[in-house]
Amino acid sequence: AGAIAQFLLEPNSHGRLFGLGQLDNPVVAALVFSAVIVLVLQMIIVEPDRRWRIVGWVSLLVVATAVYLTGSRNSWISIACAVGILLLAHRIEDRQRFIAGVVALLVIVVAGVLALMANEASREVLLPRGDSFRLDIWAYAFETTWTEAKWFGFGILTPDQIPVGERVFSHPHNMYLAVFFQGGLIGLALFGLLMLHTLHTLLLDYHQPSAKLALGLLALALVSYLLDGHELVDKVGETWFLFWLSVGLALGIQWSRFADAPD
């Protein structure tokens, strides 16, 4: 609410909402606000007290408005996937049907994005800043890492600025490429194993509300990381909300299962 008030009272030259404090970047702010949407929606679904659900709906309206005002198309698409998967998780009891529903949802989202890209007018709405040099950034990050450090990467402390023409971008703008740049194929494989194990754990205990929440947050992360992402191991910030919270929930669920198992 504070960020919205600041945006309305003190318009900036970018025409986009910036968050407060460490969220002073519209993309980062949009991703964190999107994670809050998932958390609030989970509360609305599971909270038995009607008064708290009303608070949740008001909060949802405020935070969704903030995400819209950031103008981050990546967050718009990512939160649509996350909300869809969270709602599917709560509405579908059978795990196999849920997986089929997720596949269908992703197909619909991809088809919708491609349809919007095919039309010039809608493409300008979806990509008002073009591809923001994403293709050039990704090509440079991949080719440099593959040529010079494909197995172990350049290390997490190595600056990962990407030069494109006369411009220099601060990072690869894709978490999977960022992990590859910093950790090489080995680091990327470990990241993949961590994601697969987390998903496997969450699906094993699919009936638990915390597993459904983690699936929604993980969906937000894995989709948004296609177009953004910098350091997987970083301070407590957007990466914690988007990815490590889901991993932590999965660890808690797995620990509870082992703790409850008979000796």
Side-chain angles (χ1 to χ4, degrees):
I4 294 172
Q6 183 184 57
F7 174 74
L8 296 177
L9 296 174
E10 300 177 4
N12 57 68
S13 58
H14 301 277
R16 304 173 68 184
L17 180 143
F18 287 67
L20 305 178
Q22 294 188 38
L23 304 183
D24 56 351
N25 177 291
V27 175
V28 172
L31 291 175
V32 173
F33 293 155
S34 296
V36 174
I37 288 177
V38 176
L39 293 168
V40 171
L41 188 57
Q42 170 81 358
M43 188 269 284
I44 292 171
I45 294 171
V46 304
E47 174 59 53
D49 192 324
R50 180 172 176 271
R51 293 169 296 179
W52 278 112
R53 291 202 304 272
I54 292 174
V55 172
W57 281 113
V58 173
S59 302
L60 189 65
L61 177 63
V62 172
V63 183
T65 301
V67 171
Y68 174 75
L69 292 176
T70 62
S72 173
R73 272 57 175 177
N74 182 22
S75 294
W76 295 0
I77 296 172
S78 302
I79 193 56
C81 293
V83 167
I85 288 173
L86 183 66
L87 293 177
L88 284 174
H90 281 284
R91 291 185 63 86
I92 300 176
E93 295 297 330
D94 182 73
R95 183 169 53 208
Q96 298 301 324
R97 288 184 58 203
F98 166 73
I99 295 173
V102 169
V103 172
L105 174 65
L106 294 178
V107 169
I108 292 171
V109 171
V110 171
V113 171
L114 292 176
L116 291 172
M117 293 284 290
N119 181 274
E120 185 175 349
S122 58
R123 184 168 61 248
E124 291 181 0
V125 174
L126 185 64
L127 300 173
R129 294 171 292 278
D131 68 354
S132 298
F133 300 96
R134 286 292 198 277
L135 297 179
D136 293 328
I137 294 170
W138 296 340
Y140 182 91
F142 176 80
E143 291 171 3
T144 302
T145 308
W146 185 264
T147 302
E148 301 179 24
K150 66 180 177 182
W151 291 111
F152 295 99
F154 292 102
I156 194 170
L157 298 180
T158 302
D160 53 359
Q161 286 91 352
I162 307 295
V164 177
E166 298 181 354
R167 307 186 62 171
V168 177
F169 294 88
S170 58
H171 56 83
H173 288 77
N174 178 299
M175 182 61 81
Y176 308 101
L177 274 175
V179 171
F180 179 52
F181 180 92
Q182 295 169 350
L185 289 173
I186 293 176
L188 192 59
L190 291 172
F191 181 35
L193 286 173
L194 177 60
M195 286 190 293
L196 290 174
H197 184 66
T198 301
L199 284 169
H200 177 69
T201 301
L202 296 176
L203 289 173
L204 276 180
D205 291 87
Y206 174 70
H207 61 282
Q208 294 197 28
S210 57
K212 299 177 188 293
L213 170 62
L215 285 168
L217 288 171
L218 198 58
L220 174 65
L222 299 185
V223 174
S224 67
Y225 283 165
L226 291 170
L227 294 176
D228 222 307
H230 176 32
E231 291 184 345
L232 193 65
V233 180
D234 196 8
K235 62 182 182 298
V236 177
E238 74 275 11
T239 305
W240 189 90
F241 281 105
L242 293 176
F243 185 73
W244 293 116
L245 178 55
S246 298
V247 175
L249 288 169
L251 284 171
I253 290 169
Q254 188 175 52
W255 180 86
S256 298
R257 190 191 324 129
F258 291 153
D260 294 340
D263 294 332

